[in-house]
Amino acid sequence: MTTEETIAALDRGELRVAEPAGDDWVVNEDVQAAILDFFRSQQMEPREVGPFEYHDKIPLKTGYEALGVRVVPPAVARYGSFLSRGVILMPSYVNIGAWVGPNTMVDTWATVGSGAQIGADVHLAGGVGIGGVLEPPGARPVIVEDGAFIGSRCIVTEGVRIGREAVLAPNVSLTASVPIIDVTGPEPIEHRGYVPPRSIVVPGTRPKEFPAGTYQLGCALIIGRRSESTNLKTSLNDALREYEIGA
């Protein structure tokens, strides 16, 4: 398959940068390499979209009505990303190689980075930053599994995986090295790069000693498990979830 054919297949959702395999995920290294080749092969050119002008290498995604996707101006998705039926893009950005599952909301000023895998029925709240990962080829992208709620201004980067139906409170910042500490039991349990399913996660700090003294470093705390009361706080209005294209 040529580079152009690979990107076209990504755009149609026939290929993915990463895909679930049992309880884990498998990264398609060749697909990541094709995206990098595509960047190198494309030339900068101007593109006009109504009153807006862009100057870029990658064209914009098209055909939203046929896809069954709602796109609120000035949301942008790049060619080579895939949006499943029922996705809602508020004014937001989805980069090449990203895959967004059915009925997911990408809220205002949220960004979905290159290659990120976002599951079904996910809510990326306002200002969420989902980082992109394309290199080195083989590196795991950010993964947000089905039903997760990512609160306003959260940052998730460096291949962090958010388990099914997990809830991140506003302003949680996760990288591969940020400790994610489960404090619900008698002893803390530490994770890195992974939030277990249905966890409720809030920002936290913990002390660390340096030559100049003891300072608080950021971490994330798992303080409970998702419940019916949590669902009431995180669910989207049915008027946003269930809609007819053109309504």
Side-chain angles (χ1 to χ4, degrees), residues 10-208:
L10 278 171
D11 193 74
R12 295 190 299 266
E14 297 167 2
L15 286 178
R16 295 176 64 168
V17 167
E19 51 198 332
D23 293 332
D24 203 356
W25 285 72
V26 174
V27 178
N28 295 320
E29 183 175 339
D30 292 344
V31 173
Q32 290 176 318
I35 295 173
L36 296 172
D37 287 342
F38 191 63
F39 275 114
R40 286 188 283 267
S41 66
Q42 298 300 294
Q43 301 298 314
M44 296 286 290
E45 58 180 280
R47 292 179 173 85
E48 292 187 5
V49 182
F52 301 102
E53 180 180 335
Y54 299 94
H55 189 226
D56 190 23
K57 290 185 172 187
I58 311 296
L60 300 181
K61 192 171 182 66
T62 58
Y64 294 122
E65 185 175 8
L67 288 171
V69 173
R70 180 180 178 185
V71 182
V72 179
V76 171
R78 260 178 157 179
Y79 175 68
S81 62
F82 179 71
L83 306 175
S84 303
R85 182 164 291 275
V87 164
I88 300 174
L89 297 187
M90 299 303 284
S92 55
Y93 182 77
V94 180
N95 210 340
I96 187 171
W99 191 96
V100 183
N103 302 316
T104 281
M105 161 78 82
V106 183
D107 221 328
T108 304
W109 309 135
T111 58
V112 180
S114 305
Q117 304 294 295
I118 311 298
D121 299 308
V122 169
H123 186 179
L124 304 180
V128 163
I130 301 296
V133 177
L134 287 177
E135 50 187 344
R140 189 175 73 180
V142 173
I143 295 166
V144 180
E145 296 181 345
D146 294 353
F149 178 90
I150 311 300
S152 295
R153 273 56 183 179
C154 285
I155 298 172
V156 185
T157 63
E158 296 180 0
V160 170
R161 176 183 170 189
I162 308 297
R164 292 173 60 94
E165 299 182 342
V167 175
L168 270 59
N171 297 310
V172 170
S173 183
L174 298 180
T175 70
S177 59
V178 169
I180 303 164
I181 308 170
D182 188 333
V183 296
T184 60
E187 297 290 336
I189 299 173
E190 186 169 316
H191 306 271
R192 289 183 189 254
Y194 176 61
V195 173
R198 299 185 65 83
S199 298
I200 298 176
V201 183
V202 301
T205 62
R206 68 176 181 181
K208 184 175 178 60

Side-chain angles (χ1 to χ4, degrees), residues 218-230:
C219 66
L221 302 177
I222 297 174
I223 60 168
R225 297 293 180 267
R226 190 164 180 162
S227 65
E228 289 301 320
S229 62
T230 311

